[in-house]
Amino acid sequence: MTQSTDVPIPESFAYFRIVDSPMANTLKQRLERYAKSHLDVSEELATAFGRAMNTGDALGDAYIDAAFASPKGKARARKDVEQALEGGIESVKDPSPELLALFDQIDTDPEWVDWAKVEHGAEVFRRYRELYEYFGMVSFPGYALETIAKPLALTGAYTGGSAFGRFLETCRLWTDTTEPGAMRPGGAGRRSAVFVRTLHSMIRHTVLPHPEWDRAKLGVPISQFGMFGTLLLSSFAPGTQLKLNGYRPTDADIEAMMHHWRYVGYLMGAQPPWYPETVTDAFKAQVLITLVEVPQPGKDSEELCRSFMDTFRPAEDAKGVRQMYGNLRYKAQLGHARYYLGKEGYAQTALPDPGLWRFAPIARVIPNLTRETLRRNVPGVAGWIDQVNRRSRQEFLSKNLEGGEAKFKPVDKLSR
């Protein structure tokens, strides 16, 4: 780990205050049973991630701060990034020193990257048919953390009528970054990852000076720690939890998915002080992630959860069968949220009790297990499943996302 010790740890960093509490010990013991290993987090590692809460993307933020210092630079900021992605940094007219430094990092592969593993991880990701809805729901506990809920609430990006549109843009990112070869130069995934990196730097630039953002308490919005948690939520979390739905990934599959998202994160400016390479280490990371900040569910987090789930309700003009189907879909998705989050986690969302619909995900176990068994044992089935899932993802986005493409642009003004 290499990290400046000059970075102050935010007041919201709670690890050392709660690590010896009964709740923390119960959590650690439960994860150790799953991992079949001791999951001891060193004081050095915990401290490093405390500082990571107060660290952003040095290169991306420097570029946006410099570009936004003048009206002309602000107007060019995204266009220059797009030109550098399409034609190479040498094709940008009079690039700023900050843009040159940014693309020097983007265009330089890290020593640890294994391209075969990146492609393997992308293929594993594509196997999960219900993954996008799952991601939306397992994000709910994060909404109870002020460091995550506050930027989302201030931008208004995931509340009210904009929630589904922003979710679709995230689906576009997930899809782009996990297509075959998508992370290579010129690939759609590489383009989307860098655009989202630029978007995050714009959000930091806008939110940090806001009077509601207390840096001494909260650190930096979309911090290195926050990005670290998102990368594991995109890989380790579905790799382990969706086994409940009949999927059968091996540890090597999950580790490849983690490696794939580590590289996506690298392009997005994520440089955590440590990144797990094994499933066991990912369980240790989960201990750290869960205990770094104390959840504070409230109005903002409840609105974020409700806004996402309301996207499954029938349209206001739906009548008859369409309305009935929409209501059933909404109840089934409430059941999925309850299934994934558990009783206590679901209670923090303030969503309606799904009743017996909490058993709805069980209906997916046999079809998924059957498909997984055929994939592993019958030649040609794995490729067929991959083609079907890739086509299904693109059709979903073409149907729901305007033009099938994401803009990855910040909101025009903050919601408050």
Side-chain angles (χ1 to χ4, degrees):
M1 292 183 296
T2 57
Q3 187 184 46
S4 172
T5 57
D6 295 332
V7 178
I9 297 176
E11 297 163 11
S12 60
F13 178 71
Y15 183 84
F16 293 122
R17 297 198 299 271
I18 65 175
V19 67
D20 293 322
S21 67
M23 176 277 293
N25 286 325
T26 299
L27 167 76
K28 185 169 179 283
Q29 291 167 8
R30 183 186 305 153
L31 290 174
E32 286 179 338
R33 285 198 298 271
Y34 290 134
K36 299 178 182 178
S37 174
H38 291 296
L39 303 175
D40 298 319
V41 176
S42 70
E43 182 176 340
E44 179 189 19
L45 183 61
T47 300
F49 275 101
R51 293 194 175 99
M53 290 180 70
N54 204 11
T55 306
D57 168 15
L59 294 174
D61 294 352
Y63 171 62
I64 289 301
D65 288 346
F68 278 36
S70 69
K72 287 185 177 180
K74 184 175 182 179
R76 282 187 56 178
R78 183 181 165 93
K79 293 179 181 178
D80 282 355
V81 168
E82 188 164 12
Q83 181 60 46
L85 286 167
E86 291 182 359
I89 187 64
E90 64 278 1
S91 70
V92 179
K93 183 179 179 180
D94 298 325
S96 67
E98 293 82 8
L99 184 65
L100 290 170
L102 176 63
F103 271 85
D104 181 58
Q105 183 256 326
I106 290 171
D107 293 337
T108 303
D109 283 350
E111 294 181 358
W112 48 260
V113 71
D114 178 335
W115 281 103
K117 210 168 183 178
V118 168
E119 292 299 334
H120 177 192
E123 183 275 323
V124 176
F125 187 94
R126 296 194 298 268
R127 295 177 194 168
Y128 299 96
R129 297 173 68 90
E130 58 266 67
L131 198 55
Y132 293 172
E133 294 90 343
Y134 166 83
F135 280 151
M137 295 167 191
V138 296
S139 298
F140 290 175
Y143 296 158
L145 305 178
E146 191 175 3
T147 56
I148 294 176
K150 183 71 75 175
L152 294 175
L154 288 176
T155 60
Y158 283 88
T159 57
S162 69
F164 190 51
R166 287 294 183 175
F167 173 67
L168 288 171
E169 290 205 340
T170 309
C171 292
R172 181 78 267 172
L173 172 70
W174 292 326
T175 299
D176 287 348
T177 53
T178 54
E179 284 290 289
M183 301 313 298
R184 293 286 194 172
R190 195 179 189 89
R191 178 179 183 272
S192 290
V194 175
F195 277 164
V196 171
R197 179 178 190 168
T198 306
L199 169 64
H200 286 172
S201 289
M202 291 177 182
I203 291 172
R204 291 188 202 95
H205 181 88
T206 305
V207 171
L208 265 173
H210 192 281
E212 283 195 42
W213 187 265
D214 184 347
R215 182 166 184 175
K217 177 185 178 184
L218 303 175
V220 170
I222 317 179
S223 68
Q224 286 294 331
F225 179 79
M227 290 189 280
F228 173 74
T230 299
L231 297 178
L232 291 183
L233 182 68
S234 303
S235 54
F236 171 69
T240 53
Q241 193 170 21
L242 288 183
K243 290 179 181 179
L244 296 171
N245 284 44
Y247 290 98
R248 300 174 63 194
T250 63
D251 280 1
D253 286 339
I254 298 172
E255 288 162 4
M257 197 157 48
M258 289 160 52
H259 188 82
H260 171 271
W261 280 101
R262 183 183 184 185
Y263 183 71
V264 175
Y266 173 81
L267 294 181
M268 294 176 69
Q271 295 183 323
W274 170 78
Y275 192 88
E277 296 184 16
T278 67
V279 169
T280 299
D281 276 350
F283 274 109
K284 181 166 72 172
Q286 191 61 49
V287 173
L288 190 60
I289 289 168
T290 308
L291 300 181
V292 155
E293 188 176 352
V294 177
Q296 297 180 347
K299 182 179 178 181
D300 283 345
S301 63
E302 291 173 6
E303 174 65 14
L304 288 163
C305 296
R306 182 169 57 253
S307 293
F308 176 77
M309 293 306 299
D310 281 351
T311 64
F312 296 105
R313 289 183 181 274
E316 292 184 2
D317 61 350
K319 304 291 184 183
V321 174
R322 284 181 60 213
Q323 185 180 45
M324 181 177 66
Y325 171 76
N327 286 327
L328 291 176
R329 182 180 65 170
Y330 174 68
K331 292 177 181 178
Q333 295 301 339
L334 287 176
H336 278 74
R338 168 65 173 78
Y339 184 75
Y340 295 135
L341 300 176
K343 184 178 180 180
E344 293 181 4
Y346 187 81
Q348 292 184 352
T349 66
L351 290 168
D353 183 353
L356 294 178
W357 284 99
R358 67 182 182 275
F359 299 113
I362 296 175
R364 297 187 177 185
V365 172
I366 292 179
N368 287 345
L369 183 59
T370 300
R371 189 169 55 251
E372 282 284 272
T373 301
L374 292 172
R375 178 188 61 78
R376 296 177 66 168
N377 295 284
V378 179
V381 170
W384 176 79
I385 290 173
D386 191 46
Q387 290 296 322
V388 169
N389 287 353
R390 287 177 61 199
R391 184 167 58 249
S392 176
R393 300 190 312 173
Q394 298 292 352
E395 289 174 351
F396 168 74
L397 289 169
S398 295
K399 177 182 177 181
N400 292 285
L401 185 61
E402 183 180 354
E405 296 296 329
K407 296 180 176 62
F408 299 129
K409 291 185 178 180
V411 294
D412 294 329
K413 62 179 180 178
L414 298 182
S415 62
R416 61 178 188 252

